Amino acid sequence: MRIFLIHVRDPQFYALPAATRAANGNVRVMGFPPIGIMSLSSVVKRAGHECVMFDQANPATPNDVILEEVRRQRPDLIGLSFLSTTSYPYAKILARQIRAADDKVKLAFGGVFATLNAMLVKAQCPEIDFVCRGDGEQLILDLIERMEDPSSILGLTWMKDGKPVNNPNRVLERDLDQWPFPDRESLKLDFIESMPLDVPAVLSMDRFTTMQTSRGCPWPCSFCDIPIFNEGKWRSRSAEHVVAEFKELQAQGYGAVYFVDDHFLLKPKRIEAICEGINREKVTIEWGCEGRVDSVAQHLFPAMAKAHCRTIMFGVESGSQKVLDRLNKEQTLAEIESAVTNAKNAGIEIVHGFFVVGTPDETEEDIRSTFDFAARLRLDTFAFNRLCVYRGTPLWQEYVKRGLVNDATDWYKYFKCSEIDPTCLKGDVINRERTAGFRRLFRYKLRHYPVQTARLLRRFMRFMKLRDIVYLIVKPFLGAKSGPTKNEVISRAVEHGALKDSAAELTRVADDLLAEVASQSRAERRRIEEEARRSQGA
Ligand code: B12
Ligand code: SF4
């Protein structure tokens, strides 16, 4: 069978199609490769099928070119993969265009947003045949095999006799080592590493890719949908499998890798074995990862640095304990300080903090504390985003109960909390505090951490034009435009027919489902701790 896999992007999140080409002739762009479809492509090919990938980050393959290829190659199945609420409208548009070009091809959606809103998406997109929920590896194989009668395919949402049907979930697969490494080489596009910001912040011009060594995170943060997507579980690949992938990447000429794991820093023995393997195999790739500040693996930061870990990103969120507690973050300010200090003392070159502002019950004083806290921390880089609420999170559920969002009519919309929640500060107050906070933070950094700041600027200057560096620094002071952003306008403009209400009834996130995820998360943490204790005793 011939399969097309398309990674649909939100145009705001890929910038800089570089005017340059890589040594292998590929166009180079700044951003993260589409590891979701790359993972599926290798599985599909191993099963003997033909697979062609497209990534909308590639300026050479806009929708028109993809449509032309659909007409020319007549694939049997097209999978559209997208991450979030913000890219859903673009996926819908492309699906419609493909259906107009070919009324026979089977069309499938997959990814986090599609998973968490499957019935609603199916009802709103009649041109789509299937919505694929959760892990896609086995699911796509089953789909290829039983496309004409999908009634027994676990994790599939489809239409039977004019009614959306949700086949049962599949049991989460714990053996991730069974899948081949992602098929990176078939996509004729190269990536360079940048910070996950909406302004160019290039970290290196080395050939860059991402890797996934674990899936999920068993914590209960109220704004996050990772726990529900992974049913409160955390699953990991073995250290040997990860090291083998590193070796392959080194042979393919990659110089930098970022782990898209939700929480890499969970299982010390595994991290230690990965670091030992990297050194043993003489892999020199620089890598980065994300994790919680209360990680029990912090004694391994020096070993990670020795194994070329260059970047660690922490979900700091706030400098106010009250706000952290309101977000159910289950972390303290002291834990944040010691994690950042430990990482810097260990020699990690770039330690990044993700912060949010505009959270429920946050005061101006809290925002000030957040910026002053960020200034004092030995962070190299930071991002301060306005908190958004997504369907599937405990915060969304709270907003449904408080009558701030409507599960039936708002599920596909992109909302900053401050726009809908009266307990949040108003947007203009947040922006004013954010601008003032940045000013204090930059001043503090220059005065107290001049060497660290100079080192970071020197890294940027190696790869970026002076004009871009100046923009990176002054952007926080330019002020935000008032009114909704382009993303918000587009995400709210997706039309929805009468079908949506009946589908909404079927998909309402039940309180007991969230409670079940929370209890699974707690059980998962106990399981991991127990495993760690056992392996220490062994
Ligand atoms: C890396 C990442 C990014 C990267 C870009 C990644 C990229 N373009 O590839 C950057 C930093 C740019 C980014 C940006 C944003 N992101 Co982001 N991101 C992630 C992260 C951490 C990992 C994604 C990933 O690579 N996963 C690994 C691959 C292997 O998994 P996958 O893509 O899900 O694919 C698997 C399955 O879903 C399935 N599958 C996927 N597609 C298909 C298709 C078919 C046909 C089938 C059968 C199966 C299938 O099979 C795959 C293999 O099992 C996720 C968290 C997460 N764990 O998913 C958040 C996440 C997806 N991002 C999120 C958000 C909100 C955003 C932003 C909107 C943030 C913002 N406000 O600025 C932007 C918008 C991006 C966009 N829409 O283009 C949210 C989405 C929430 C929601 N409900 O909308 C998530 C879940 C994080 C979170 N908890 O909040 N992101
Ligand atoms: S720590 Fe919280 S925000 Fe981070 S992935 Fe886990 S649940 Fe989500």
Side-chain angles (χ1 to χ4, degrees):
M1 237 183 231
R2 179 173 295 151
I3 326 287
F4 274 17
L5 292 173
I6 307 171
H7 184 64
V8 182
R9 302 246 182 186
D10 166 354
Q12 193 183 315
F13 288 95
Y14 63 90
L16 280 197
T20 57
R21 280 184 183 267
N24 58 12
N26 288 349
V27 170
R28 266 204 297 215
V29 296
M30 184 185 90
F32 281 31
I35 192 170
I37 58 168
M38 288 168 163
S39 306
L40 300 181
S41 171
S42 52
V43 168
V44 163
K45 284 186 176 170
R46 188 170 73 174
H49 303 284
E50 200 186 310
C51 185
V52 183
M53 286 184 285
F54 298 92
D55 180 357
Q56 291 197 317
N58 188 348
T61 56
N63 285 13
D64 288 353
V65 172
I66 298 175
L67 293 172
E68 203 35 57
E69 287 306 310
V70 171
R71 288 193 200 93
R72 202 171 64 80
Q73 299 193 41
R74 294 285 165 196
D76 304 283
L77 170 69
I78 302 183
L80 284 88
S81 173
F82 57 99
L83 293 181
S84 82
T85 315
T86 56
S87 33
Y88 173 52
Y90 301 96
K92 196 166 149 63
I93 291 166
L94 181 57
R96 212 168 262 186
Q97 290 175 327
I98 296 175
R99 182 53 75 225
D102 183 339
D103 61 357
K104 301 246 163 13
V105 63
K106 297 286 186 197
L107 280 176
F109 272 177
V112 178
F113 175 86
T115 298
L116 298 179
N117 301 285
M119 288 287 256
L120 292 155
V121 169
K122 179 67 207 80
Q124 200 182 63
C125 303
E127 51 283 317
I128 286 291
D129 299 287
F130 313 112
V131 180
C132 305
R133 311 192 310 270
D135 286 2
E137 286 86 352
Q138 188 57 48
L139 204 167
I140 198 163
L141 294 178
D142 293 352
L143 188 57
I144 292 169
E145 218 171 76
R146 283 172 268 155
M147 210 142 45
E148 295 314 322
D149 178 16
S151 50
S152 62
I153 302 179
L154 298 176
L156 197 75
T157 301
W158 56 298
M159 201 69 112
K160 189 180 182 191
D161 305 327
K163 287 202 189 82
V165 180
N166 233 6
N167 290 356
N169 283 356
R170 40 188 68 232
V171 176
L172 281 194
E173 180 58 74
R174 287 228 180 238
D175 175 15
L176 301 179
D177 285 4
Q178 67 179 296
W179 303 122
F181 304 145
D183 173 19
R184 300 182 172 89
E185 296 302 292
S186 303
L187 187 75
K188 297 294 163 215
L189 188 63
D190 268 34
F191 294 84
I192 52 171
E193 188 183 11
S194 60
M195 301 291 296
L197 307 171
D198 58 355
V199 285
V202 180
L203 289 176
S204 93
M205 292 301 278
D206 285 336
R207 195 169 191 217
F208 167 69
T209 192
T210 48
M211 207 198 264
Q212 193 185 39
T213 83
S214 67
R215 294 182 179 176
C217 169
W219 261 266
C221 308
S222 68
F223 54 90
C224 182
D225 53 7
I226 294 300
I228 196 168
F229 183 61
N230 291 282
E231 299 172 17
K233 303 285 193 308
W234 182 82
R235 300 164 292 154
S236 61
R237 294 167 52 201
S238 69
E240 299 74 50
H241 204 248
V242 173
V243 172
E245 188 172 353
F246 259 114
K247 270 177 75 180
E248 180 178 285
L249 294 179
Q250 174 111 336
Q252 288 168 341
Y254 289 93
V257 167
Y258 190 75
F259 296 166
V260 292
D261 301 25
D262 304 303
H263 186 6
F264 174 71
L265 301 173
L266 241 180
K267 212 170 161 185
K269 283 271 172 217
R270 192 183 80 109
I271 299 174
E272 202 173 11
I274 291 175
C275 293
E276 278 169 13
I278 288 175
N279 293 330
R280 189 181 57 246
E281 299 297 338
K282 304 200 173 14
V283 172
T284 53
I285 294 172
E286 293 200 318
W287 52 279
C289 62
E290 280 171 36
R292 285 181 53 92
V293 294
D294 58 359
S295 161
V296 290
Q298 297 185 40
H299 60 291
L300 292 172
F301 287 168
M304 287 166 59
K306 203 166 149 242
H308 316 293
C309 171
R310 189 225 302 133
T311 310
I312 299 185
M313 303 211 179
F314 292 116
V316 176
E317 321 304 355
S318 177
S320 148
Q321 190 63 49
K322 181 195 89 189
V323 171
L324 290 175
D325 296 343
R326 176 69 172 90
L327 297 175
N328 214 12
K329 192 71 201 176
E330 293 197 358
Q331 70 188 25
T332 64
L333 295 177
E335 284 169 333
I336 298 170
E337 282 200 75
S338 77
V340 173
T341 308
N342 289 342
K344 283 313 292 177
N345 284 350
I348 302 293
E349 186 186 333
I350 299 177
V351 180
H352 179 85
F354 291 109
F355 292 83
V356 285
V357 287
T359 64
D361 300 325
E362 184 186 46
T363 61
E364 286 162 80
E365 197 43 50
D366 290 325
I367 299 188
R368 277 174 219 145
S369 309
T370 294
F371 276 91
D372 294 344
F373 183 60
R376 286 196 310 275
L377 292 172
R378 282 173 63 193
L379 291 171
D380 299 283
T381 54
F382 21 77
F384 295 83
N385 290 323
R386 297 260 293 269
L387 187 71
C388 295
V389 61
Y390 297 105
R391 185 164 182 276
T393 61
L395 187 61
W396 177 272
Q397 201 68 357
E398 178 194 318
Y399 280 9
V400 170
K401 287 198 194 122
R402 288 170 56 199
L404 301 176
V405 290
N406 182 323
D407 217 26
T409 52
D410 291 332
W411 58 274
Y412 57 88
K413 297 177 187 168
Y414 175 66
F415 290 117
K416 294 189 182 97
C417 295
S418 57
E419 288 178 335
I420 49 176
D421 182 348
T423 70
C424 294
L425 293 167
K426 293 263 168 297
D428 53 347
V429 178
I430 297 167
N431 286 335
R432 193 185 63 222
E433 284 302 331
R434 186 159 59 171
T435 307
F438 266 121
R439 202 167 285 138
R440 287 198 310 282
L441 187 153
F442 280 3
R443 252 190 257 126
Y444 191 96
K445 289 280 177 204
L446 283 173
R447 200 168 326 127
H448 296 270
Y449 297 115
V451 178
Q452 192 180 358
T453 310
R455 221 178 268 147
L456 185 72
L457 279 176
R458 204 172 58 217
R459 177 175 270 280
F460 286 141
M461 279 162 88
R462 291 220 306 267
F463 313 113
M464 291 169 67
K465 294 199 183 97
L466 185 62
R467 191 192 58 196
D468 289 339
I469 297 173
V470 172
Y471 183 57
L472 178 68
I473 295 167
V474 301
K475 171 124 196 302
F477 304 110
L478 298 178
K481 282 189 226 118
S482 58
T485 62
K486 191 171 151 228
N487 260 336
E488 289 154 4
V489 173
I490 292 173
S491 81
R492 287 168 207 174
V494 185
E495 82 287 11
H496 46 100
L499 264 174
K500 70 167 199 312
D501 293 329
S502 52
E505 280 307 316
L506 295 166
T507 55
R508 214 173 287 283
V509 183
D511 279 348
D512 33 348
L513 175 60
L514 283 178
E516 173 60 19
V517 167
S519 105
Q520 288 291 339
S521 299
R522 280 192 296 274
E524 188 73 351
R525 277 147 71 176
R526 276 197 302 274
R527 186 188 68 78
I528 295 165
E529 280 162 20
E530 185 50 38
E531 216 176 273
R533 256 196 303 276
R534 269 203 310 273
S535 72
Q536 244 145 25

